[in-house]
Amino acid sequence: MIDPVLLFGLALAAGAPLALSPLATALGAALAAAALRRRAGRAALAAAGVALVVSGLRARALLDGAGAAYDGALAQLQPPARCEVACAVVGSPVVVGAAQRRSAGARGADDEPPASRIDVELSGGTCGGRALQGPLRARLYGAPMDLARGDRLEVTVDLAPIHLFRNEGLRNATAAIARSGIVASGTIVEARRMSEGRAIDVRAAVDRARAFVRGRIEATFHPDAVALGRALVLGETDLAPEDQEAFRESGLAHLLAVSGTHLVLAVAGFAAALRAILVRVGPIAARWDAGRITAALCVPAAWLYADFAGGGGSAMRAAAMLSCAMGARLFGLRPVGVRCFALSLAGAAAVDPLVAWDLSFGLSAAATAGLLWLQRPLAALLVPGEGKRGVEQGRGAEGGPGGSSARELARKVLAPLATTLAAMFGCAPLLLMNGETFPLLGVAANVVAAPIGELAALPFCLAHAVLSWAPPVERGCALVGSGALLAVRAVARASAETGVVLRLPEPSPAQLAALAAAIALAWAAERRGRRLAALAAGAAAWLLLEGVATRAGAPRGVLRVNVLDVGQGDAILIDLPEGGAMLVDAGGFVGSPVDTGARVLRPLLRSRRRARLDAVVLSHPHPDHFGGLPATVEGVEVGELWDTGQGEAEGAGPVYRKLLSDLRRRGVPIVRPDALCGRPRILSGATIEVLAPCPELHPDRGANDNSFVVRITYGARSALLVGDAEHEAEDALVARYGAALRADLLKVGHHGSRTSTGAALLAAVDPSIAAVSCGVRNRFGHPSPEVLSRLSARGVAIARTDRGGALTWETDGERVLWSRPGEPPRPAPAPRDGRTAPGHVPENGGP
């Protein structure tokens, strides 16, 4: 029979998937329940069903509350403002940017005092001259390093709502707000500590201990190993970008995470030392069981250490599981791994119904599940005679000493491989959900690096944290720990440089539900043949659903324009009627670590199974339009790049130059206006017309007024994309084409600036829907009240990406539907003049 507590814990943890993907999760749960009905019992299944529904409703309520909190932040902090506010520190200070500065070779990087990131709750003050209403949580950068939770501050800070990048097909960004409460972020200009946390506040004591250990790591570790040491001991992921990529690509990121092994080793060391002391104290040893006393003290120690190590989901889950085992020992019971695992899931989900959204928690739980249920079968498969080992040990090994030693050597080599494979198989679905590649050499890299990390780096780094009173020993631990960490990094870099990875699409919710149902069916099967049949059926369902996802990502018979939410910039993905796709711009932020190509475009293309773009259009060479293109086109086949050429003529910077250089090296044609103007082309079933700058660049105009203006038509419906064209270009368009500019969808020019979308252009285009691509953190006042007023006066529906996220506009050539993320499609407003197909724009203008 299946442990009912495990079933209950899994159901509680599935509350987040139910809230985020209700149909797929409900169907998967129903299929799993049907498969397990004979081995779980009706009462257990009923209790699990109730737990799933209750947890899902709680998760949904948290998401709705987070959405309301974010809307409140938008109302108060848009446009971004300088705030003078009082706040309390609610999150441990974390070092940010030190490794990145060192990696970039920034002048003075080693001498520059480190700055931290803190989470605070703002309780009063003013923002931009307006009173701040109610408590509001924010993440602030540039804070002093000596802060701790409970400290109260007065700060001057440039504050703005956080970017959510709300796009259909990407993970629900509101879940992060629901779990952390953080709705805004900013950079501290000035901070004054008004009071410190209470002396008896355990959280403040933990933070000060973290600060002390951090200082000792920075003082004694090799400079190249400092960031690695802070990651391993404190959970601070401040690695240099190339190291982050190497650990991710090699499958070794878990070696720097505060995992269950990490926590067990730390607490086990504490327990061994404490027990060794207690058994030597006569009165205690004579009256009490030192083991039980140790177990009782290890429970709070586990939670304190989990908090000290960053309080991540994996650390907290491991602390819960360890507490269960120690609690059993305290009461004289034998701890059962499966039951402790189940209680760790149930407890975490009871406290936080969205805990499954936490990647570190999910990977920790999945790896533990793999070890619990896959390690033994894999060991029996890989290790010769493992299944008979217990029998042989009981009656003596057969085949002579040579055969015995050979088997023992094979066991020592292959047993760790079985353990690594079990953990990796458990994590595989989550790794595919959160990364583009699966490391094929990950097993080999783990076999080499895991012993170094777990037997050298981890114990010496943990010992270093408590040896400041013995400087020579501390320096020795720092030397060994640094060397082990750098050896692990070398393995990660060598593995990543091979490029031997498997690129797979992101699993859809339906595929994950099918996988869960197949595992449940295999779990319930009593015979090996039936288990294999269940897994084969799951694989077949996965492949079938992959075809469904591919079809949904490249629909046929419709034109779909996706005006994406990339913040203050433009990015428009267009699904063409015969399955092709084109991309117009890719957003970008000057001087920001956020790469919109890597953050938005590439994950979106992956989720839609798009490996080719028939055309990429750079409307004009400004960074908020091309900044995300390099990451977007990496690994994607590009048919051709449309570029006005102004960037090469006037110089648009190294990112632009490298983009063109890389595409030329790949053999991608660069097409200029003289080859595009006056020649409407059929691209994958849609008519594409370039209306400006025609017939070539206007040398007396700036880049905005030399933007590509593109109209895309399918049947009777069309969309007009005008880049950042301003009044001069608009007047020229109206004079040349007049009412022939009519379109159902208008991508508003220049993010809704007052210098664009004039009355004459609006009268000529007469759109039913207008999309405004602007960001919550823009300081330009986009979109301008004048533009919004002109659109509203004409009865045009307005879709702003800073309010509600992306816009999806879709037509079959007659009917038009539009939607925002998380909303069902709805019919677009009908054209007021009852027009049908406008036909292409005649080159000589006129209606």
Side-chain angles (χ1 to χ4, degrees), residues 744-786:
D744 302 276
L745 169 67
L746 172 66
K747 200 292 295 182
V748 170
H750 201 193
H751 320 291
S753 165
R754 60 183 178 80
T755 62
S756 301
T757 321
L761 181 74
L762 273 180
V765 178
D766 195 21
S768 56
I769 300 174
V772 185
S773 184
C774 57
V776 297
R777 302 176 73 91
N778 87 83
R779 299 179 179 275
F780 311 108
H782 296 161
S784 77
E786 296 96 321

Side-chain angles (χ1 to χ4, degrees), residues 284-298:
I284 295 178
R287 299 184 59 185
W288 291 291
D289 182 344
R292 289 191 176 185
I293 297 175
T294 301
L297 293 175
C298 279

Side-chain angles (χ1 to χ4, degrees), residues 338-351:
V338 172
R339 178 61 60 84
C340 289
F341 174 66
L343 289 173
S344 73
L345 293 181
V351 173

